[in-house]
């Protein structure tokens, strides 16, 4: 019994680090985790992997105009999770023109707030999971340590498990 309790205590930090959100019908599942302080996600459809663990992050320009000037740092690693929130949304709206008379916007959402203690910066990664796929975005709450910045390169990965069809803007 003591051994089982000890093993459960060892696994607890790992379980607490991963967050999961499923689509309204439960077919699509997105998992978020930190891998050594680096944000990652993965996605499955009907319990079959579609996107293998993939990294998230933004490389910032070192510029005299940036908040940290020439000492600007990236938003790619060194993070801790400070908050997670889940929510659901379901609405039907009528487009002005198009092929359909109504459009349903139905998803479950996971918002993960990350803190980079070394720079005192925060970032929110928001996942919206639909019955037919998922979307994500980076958000930057107003903060003193991340006032002005230029994104040099987005390092969002999509490590697909096969030759899948993908859509993006």
């Amino acid at each position: 019994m003591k051994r089982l309790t000890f093993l459960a205590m060892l696994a607890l930090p790992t379980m607490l680090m991963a967050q999961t959100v499923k689509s309204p019908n439960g077919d699509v599942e997105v998992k978020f985790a930190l891998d050594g302080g680096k944000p990652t996600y993965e996605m499955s459809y009907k319990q079959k992997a579609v996107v293998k663990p993939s990294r998230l992050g933004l490389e910032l320009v070192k510029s005299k105009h940036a908040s940290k000037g020439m000492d600007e740092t990236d938003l790619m690693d060194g993070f801790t999770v400070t908050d997670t929130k889940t929510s659901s949304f379901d609405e039907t709206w009528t487009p002005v023109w198009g092929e359909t008379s109504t459009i349903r916007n139905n998803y479950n959402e996971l918002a993960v707030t990350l803190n980079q203690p070394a720079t005192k910066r925060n970032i929110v990664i928001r996942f919206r999971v639909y019955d037919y796929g998922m979307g994500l975005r980076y958000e930057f709450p107003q903060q003193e340590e991340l006032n002005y910045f230029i994104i040099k390169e987005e390092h969002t990965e999509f490590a697909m498990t096969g030759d899948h069809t993908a859509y993006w803007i």
Side-chain angles (χ1 to χ4, degrees), residues 10 13 21 24 37 40 43 46 61 72 74 90 129 152 169:
L10 285 177
V21 61
T40 65
M43 185 179 83
K46 293 186 178 180
V61 172
E72 186 62 86
D74 296 322
D90 191 2
V129 185
K152 179 178 181 182
I169 297 175

Side-chain angles (χ1 to χ4, degrees), residues 42-55:
E42 57 188 283
M43 185 179 83
S44 62
Y45 177 72
K46 293 186 178 180
Q47 300 181 341
K48 184 178 178 187
V50 176
V51 179
K52 297 183 280 189
S54 302
R55 288 198 178 156

Side-chain angles (χ1 to χ4, degrees), residues 17-83:
M17 297 300 283
Q19 290 80 30
T20 302
V21 61
K22 290 185 178 185
S23 62
N25 70 4
D27 286 349
V28 180
E29 180 180 60
V30 173
K31 292 181 183 177
F32 171 86
L34 287 179
D35 180 11
K38 297 174 183 168
T40 65
Y41 77 98
E42 57 188 283
M43 185 179 83
S44 62
Y45 177 72
K46 293 186 178 180
Q47 300 181 341
K48 184 178 178 187
V50 176
V51 179
K52 297 183 280 189
S54 302
R55 288 198 178 156
L56 301 164
L58 300 168
E59 184 179 351
L60 303 182
V61 172
K62 296 179 187 302
S63 164
K64 66 180 180 178
H65 302 292
S67 296
K68 302 277 186 187
M70 298 309 286
D71 296 322
E72 186 62 86
T73 54
D74 296 322
L75 297 170
M76 295 181 52
D77 58 12
F79 288 106
T80 60
V81 175
T82 59
D83 191 26

